[in-house]
Amino acid sequence: MSGSDAEVLPSPGAVIADKYTVVRALGRGGMGIVLEAEHQRLGQRVALKLLLPEIRSMGEITARFEREARAVARLSSPHVARILDVDALPDGSPFMVMELLRGRELGDELDERTKIPYREAVGYILQACAAMAEAHRMGIVHRDLKPANLFLCETGGHRTVKVLDFGISKLTGDVNASMTTTASAFGTPLYMSPEQVRSVKNVDARADIWSLGVVLYELLSGELPFNHESATGILAAILTEKPVPIGKRCPEIPRALADAVMRALEKNPEDRFSDVREFAASIAPYGPPREDPTLAAVAIELEGVGKPRSRGKRRNLFLGATAVLVAGGAAAIVVLQSPNASSPVVPVAEPAAQSIPPAIPSGAPQVSPVGTALAPLQEAPPTATTTATPSATAAPPPLRKPTAEPKTSAPPPVKTAPPATTVPDPKYL
């Protein structure tokens, strides 16, 4: 934190909104700062996200900040960092209260390991897809998906991905042109789609598919599809150059997985996947094994979000899948209903206005403890039916037959990083 920030931002021990005691600063970004604080009555730690002093006087930025809080508070996915409360400082500038995360950014994980084995990498992207499927249904396009905004939390012996920082997100149908032109950078150039390079205003959910494709490309190969010394060179390459096929850089990955990554990187949005669930369905066969509880929860999320599909050609996402969730020694069998095909247009906006619920119920805010677990089974979307049984009596059918059979031989063993013995400080920006 700079000296100028320290002069005007709450210091350790300060009390905000008569209930949050500041513990320390966690991180600083281009627009805001994140503080660790303790809820005085509940005794639980939370993260407070405040705008920087020099930003608070910019009305359009403040409005976007509040819009982010309202939008993200509506999301229920366990793969989104939850907004618990929204309030204001004495000067009237808003701040948001978020669940406190413990873990590390996916970018830090990649820096340490250089490359990620393809099943593990796909598992991370599937979790991000689950978060973005719900966001897109509500008309929210992130526009800045990158490894630094995918946070790895250690929960129940496995890693849960949380999507962070919707600070430059676009709410479909609620975009002020002046807001979109004042920001210094709407997105990180390395992960921006061609249409976003051309115009930050005219993007839809397929821009997020591009960004997820770039992230998966980088996780698998350790390299970016477009990389130049200058931001200008990167943007020019995104617009004009073809990326090196990932199959050439990673000949060990299945052909169908390589094809899915390259389809996500098609320059014309019409040539990409029509929505993030279609992208998820194409890479799911190459993710973690079916007994992985994270994959089972992701299957429920991806299958349940969105409006009912129209009649016609059926696109099966985890067709006939039976997700096995193990909890307390008993197995819960969740039979997923396969949706009908969707329109090729990405469903990023709801046709009817929806009222926005308050960011937190009345009374004391429900601050989650460190290491929030996956959503409980009863929070599964209404399209899933649950039946408790002592054990699974039959193996679940395959997720979906891939367009090309993966190699039958096991890939060369890649050493994975062991669980950290110490928990790093949380980061949010």
Side-chain angles (χ1 to χ4, degrees), residues 195-250:
E195 64 270 24
Q196 190 171 350
V197 171
R198 296 186 184 96
S199 171
V200 297
K201 295 184 295 182
N202 300 319
V203 300
D204 60 21
R206 291 169 294 186
D208 286 342
I209 294 175
W210 168 284
S211 299
L212 290 172
V214 175
V215 174
L216 183 53
Y217 188 109
E218 186 179 14
L219 294 179
L220 295 173
S221 68
E223 302 180 61
L224 286 158
F226 306 98
N227 202 355
H228 288 258
E229 294 182 356
S230 67
T232 302
I234 293 170
L235 297 178
I238 290 172
L239 290 172
T240 62
E241 295 180 10
K242 291 185 176 181
V244 176
I246 193 170
K248 290 186 176 181
R249 288 181 168 172
C250 305

Side-chain angles (χ1 to χ4, degrees), residues 146-186:
K146 56 188 177 183
N149 280 338
L150 301 179
F151 197 87
L152 302 178
C153 299
E154 299 288 342
T155 56
H158 60 275
R159 284 176 160 177
T160 298
V161 172
K162 299 268 188 176
V163 177
L164 302 179
D165 201 359
F166 283 75
I168 66 168
S169 64
K170 168 186 172 181
L171 284 176
T172 305
D174 182 28
V175 178
N176 185 310
S178 64
M179 290 185 184
T180 60
T181 55
T182 53
S184 59
F186 265 135

Side-chain angles (χ1 to χ4, degrees), residues 18-236:
D18 296 325
K19 53 186 172 182
Y20 300 110
T21 302
V22 176
V23 176
R24 58 174 176 152
L26 294 176
R28 186 187 192 279
M31 289 175 53
I33 187 168
V34 177
L35 307 173
E36 181 177 350
E38 182 175 293
H39 190 282
Q40 289 185 329
R41 299 191 67 179
L42 298 180
Q44 292 184 337
R45 298 295 176 93
V46 295
L48 306 183
K49 186 174 181 182
L50 295 73
L51 290 172
L52 292 172
E54 60 269 26
I55 299 295
R56 295 177 193 172
S57 60
M58 303 173 66
E60 70 278 6
I61 300 295
T62 302
R64 188 188 312 122
F65 183 86
E66 292 192 68
R67 199 168 68 239
E68 171 196 355
R70 292 197 306 270
V72 178
R74 297 166 59 194
L75 302 178
S76 60
S77 171
H79 300 292
V80 174
R82 291 187 297 135
I83 303 295
L84 306 173
D85 195 3
V86 178
D87 212 321
L89 297 175
D91 64 2
S93 60
F95 71 90
M96 66 178 72
V97 183
M98 306 164 61
E99 64 174 321
L100 184 65
L101 304 178
R102 299 287 185 182
R104 68 190 311 191
E105 295 171 1
L106 181 56
D108 293 336
E109 182 84 1
L110 183 60
D111 288 343
E112 182 178 296
R113 298 170 61 184
T114 307
K115 294 171 63 173
I116 307 294
Y118 74 84
R119 291 199 180 276
E120 181 183 353
V122 168
Y124 294 150
I125 299 302
L126 284 174
Q127 293 182 63
C129 285
M132 295 318 303
E134 184 189 19
H136 291 167
R137 180 181 69 84
M138 293 187 174
I140 303 170
V141 183
H142 192 289
R143 300 198 297 181
D144 196 24
L145 291 170
K146 56 188 177 183
N149 280 338
L150 301 179
F151 197 87
L152 302 178
C153 299
E154 299 288 342
T155 56
H158 60 275
R159 284 176 160 177
T160 298
V161 172
K162 299 268 188 176
V163 177
L164 302 179
D165 201 359
F166 283 75
I168 66 168
S169 64
K170 168 186 172 181
L171 284 176
T172 305
D174 182 28
V175 178
N176 185 310
S178 64
M179 290 185 184
T180 60
T181 55
T182 53
S184 59
F186 265 135
T188 305
L190 291 169
Y191 304 90
M192 287 173 64
S193 66
E195 64 270 24
Q196 190 171 350
V197 171
R198 296 186 184 96
S199 171
V200 297
K201 295 184 295 182
N202 300 319
V203 300
D204 60 21
R206 291 169 294 186
D208 286 342
I209 294 175
W210 168 284
S211 299
L212 290 172
V214 175
V215 174
L216 183 53
Y217 188 109
E218 186 179 14
L219 294 179
L220 295 173
S221 68
E223 302 180 61
L224 286 158
F226 306 98
N227 202 355
H228 288 258
E229 294 182 356
S230 67
T232 302
I234 293 170
L235 297 178

Side-chain angles (χ1 to χ4, degrees), residues 284-322:
Y286 312 103
R290 286 214 48 81
E291 59 270 18
D292 187 295
T294 300
L295 179 61
V298 166
I300 294 173
E301 284 193 88
L302 288 170
E303 194 74 4
V305 298
K307 294 177 290 187
R309 304 288 188 167
S310 60
R311 294 182 179 274
K313 180 181 178 182
R314 302 180 65 85
R315 180 174 63 238
N316 296 324
L317 176 61
F318 306 148
L319 176 60
T322 302

